[in-house]
Amino acid sequence: MKILIADFKKKRPWLDCDNGELFNVLKNKGNIELIIKTQLNEIELINEIKDSSYNLIVIHVEHQGINQAVSIIDELKRNEHRIILYGYGVRFNKTLNNLKYTIVNDDIHKVVEYINIILGTLFEYPYGKILGADYSNLNISSIFNYPIRYSKGCENSCPYCERSLEKIKEYRSAYEFEQELYQAVNKYSAKVITFLDSSLMGGDKNNRFMEDIVPILEKYNIRWRANGVTVTSIDDDKIELLRRSGCYLLSIGIESFSDGVKIGKKVDFEKIKRLRNHACIAVWCGDNEGYPLPPLNKWLEEDVNVY
């Protein structure tokens, strides 16, 4: 039995953490040949779909892949009996959502359930457990900046963001996280890691990033950055602890300075102004959605130091 796991070519060439997670769940399970291919363009993916040796093809569709997926919709429809489309790109496009096997988020547990239905397999992936990504099937010897996650989901309800649709936030165990970090450093010679979490340090009491993950980062002495951090989840003392653990950049999204713009989360602008040029760390504030004009560009240009 042969399964292809694929994703579309992106402008930002991150390795696909979700497909890597899926590969990790399915690998070394019985008489299954797993193939994972990444950053495919439309022609390349069509050629893979036409390969009748695949019993099943799983395609991750993110926002950047919507147009690419729609452009090959005829081929997808012809083979929909053996194709699973999953990802937020599927949710936001009716054409894709109307195919036979679709999942409208990045829930790998649900993908595994669909695989069992289609192939009659008995793969197990208990809810509440999040494995790390496995890229061992890719022809990659080193990953300088390794993408990684501690959590999936987000506690905020920002109306412009698909993550607001995730009702549950899940966290990886310290053991699972360290296993992947060990591979990143020792197998792929990673020098930097980037957290792709939607809200790395936010959430409820189950978020033990500071207690469990920061000591691991210190142990491996690796530089790291975070792509998603809410203002409410950090303060001066916490930033200093993060700096000591190797953090060099926190990305904080400010959608608008206008109180009339409903952004789904509390933004303390005075706190941001105090933290933005913190002596210990660079805090980048990006304007995700300004109204009526992007409000931060001039402010950033004149008043924020980028390290």
Side-chain angles (χ1 to χ4, degrees):
M1 197 172 293
K2 189 175 178 182
I3 300 175
L4 171 67
I5 302 171
D7 65 281
F8 287 102
K9 191 174 183 64
K10 308 176 186 66
K11 293 181 180 178
R12 293 191 301 171
W14 291 115
L15 289 169
D16 193 309
C17 288
D18 296 290
N19 276 355
E21 179 187 349
L22 178 60
F23 183 88
N24 201 3
V25 174
L26 302 181
K27 69 178 183 180
N28 303 324
K29 299 291 195 305
N31 189 28
I32 301 290
E33 181 183 0
L34 280 179
I35 308 294
I36 183 170
K37 296 192 176 184
T38 188
Q39 301 286 321
L40 300 182
N41 62 36
E42 295 93 320
I43 300 300
E44 291 169 332
L45 191 50
I46 284 176
N47 289 334
E48 295 293 338
I49 294 172
K50 288 181 176 180
D51 184 345
S52 61
S53 68
Y54 290 120
N55 300 92
L56 181 65
I57 299 172
V58 182
I59 305 173
H60 188 202
V61 184
E62 299 178 291
H63 275 117
Q64 293 185 44
I66 293 175
N67 290 337
Q68 294 162 296
V70 171
S71 72
I72 63 170
I73 191 64
D74 291 339
E75 197 65 40
L76 293 173
K77 284 182 177 178
R78 277 192 289 268
N79 293 273
E80 64 179 353
H81 62 284
R82 63 185 183 105
I83 291 178
I84 297 174
L85 289 188
Y86 82 97
Y88 288 97
V90 179
R91 174 183 286 271
F92 293 112
N93 187 276
K94 289 183 179 179
T95 301
L96 299 178
N97 205 352
N98 284 332
L99 293 175
K100 188 171 184 178
Y101 299 113
T102 58
I103 298 166
V104 296
N105 54 34
D106 296 332
D107 187 354
I108 300 303
H109 302 89
K110 193 68 178 178
V111 176
V112 172
E113 289 180 5
Y114 270 39
I115 291 173
N116 287 334
I117 291 171
I118 297 168
L119 298 180
T121 48
L122 297 172
F123 293 116
E124 294 183 359
Y125 192 28
Y127 279 88
K129 184 174 185 177
I130 304 176
L131 292 181
D134 186 320
Y135 305 116
S136 58
N137 196 243
L138 295 173
N139 186 25
I140 297 175
S141 59
S142 65
I143 305 172
F144 179 85
N145 187 347
Y146 188 96
I148 200 167
R149 282 187 305 217
Y150 166 58
S151 64
K152 293 184 77 170
C154 186
E155 72 279 4
N156 297 302
S157 300
C158 306
Y160 53 84
C161 180
E162 74 274 9
R163 300 298 174 184
S164 65
L165 301 169
E166 296 174 337
K167 303 302 182 184
I168 299 175
K169 187 168 184 180
E170 298 178 299
Y171 305 93
R172 296 176 64 185
S173 69
Y175 173 77
E176 293 285 357
F177 176 83
E178 185 168 3
Q179 276 196 318
E180 185 174 4
L181 183 57
Y182 179 87
Q183 289 291 320
V185 172
N186 292 284
K187 181 176 181 177
Y188 295 111
S189 303
K191 304 302 181 187
V192 177
I193 64 171
T194 295
F195 284 94
L196 301 183
D197 303 51
S198 300
S199 176
L200 181 61
M201 288 171 280
D204 56 25
K205 62 182 181 181
N206 293 316
N207 190 329
R208 294 186 54 83
F209 181 82
M210 297 300 298
E211 296 88 346
D212 294 346
I213 305 303
V214 167
I216 295 173
L217 296 169
E218 291 175 336
K219 172 183 173 180
Y220 284 79
N221 192 29
I222 190 167
R223 286 168 59 77
W224 63 274
R225 58 177 286 177
N227 273 2
V229 178
T230 55
V231 181
T232 54
S233 67
I234 58 173
D235 54 39
D236 296 86
D237 292 339
K238 189 176 286 188
I239 284 181
E240 177 58 21
L241 292 173
L242 298 177
R243 183 196 67 81
R244 291 177 186 174
S245 72
C247 180
Y248 70 93
L249 177 64
L250 299 178
S251 292
I252 301 175
I254 305 174
E255 287 67 38
S256 177
F257 274 134
S258 171
D259 292 334
V261 178
K262 304 301 182 183
I263 60 176
K265 60 188 175 187
K266 179 177 175 57
V267 178
D268 186 338
F269 298 117
E270 293 305 315
K271 183 177 181 180
I272 292 170
K273 290 176 182 179
R274 187 178 76 252
L275 295 176
R276 67 182 187 240
N277 290 328
H278 197 284
C280 298
I281 197 168
V283 179
W284 174 260
C285 303
D287 55 333
N288 292 339
E289 184 177 321
Y291 178 82
L293 294 172
L296 298 184
N297 291 341
K298 194 65 177 175
W299 182 66
L300 285 169
E301 180 183 335
E302 295 175 350
D303 211 16
V304 176
N305 295 329
V306 179
Y307 295 82

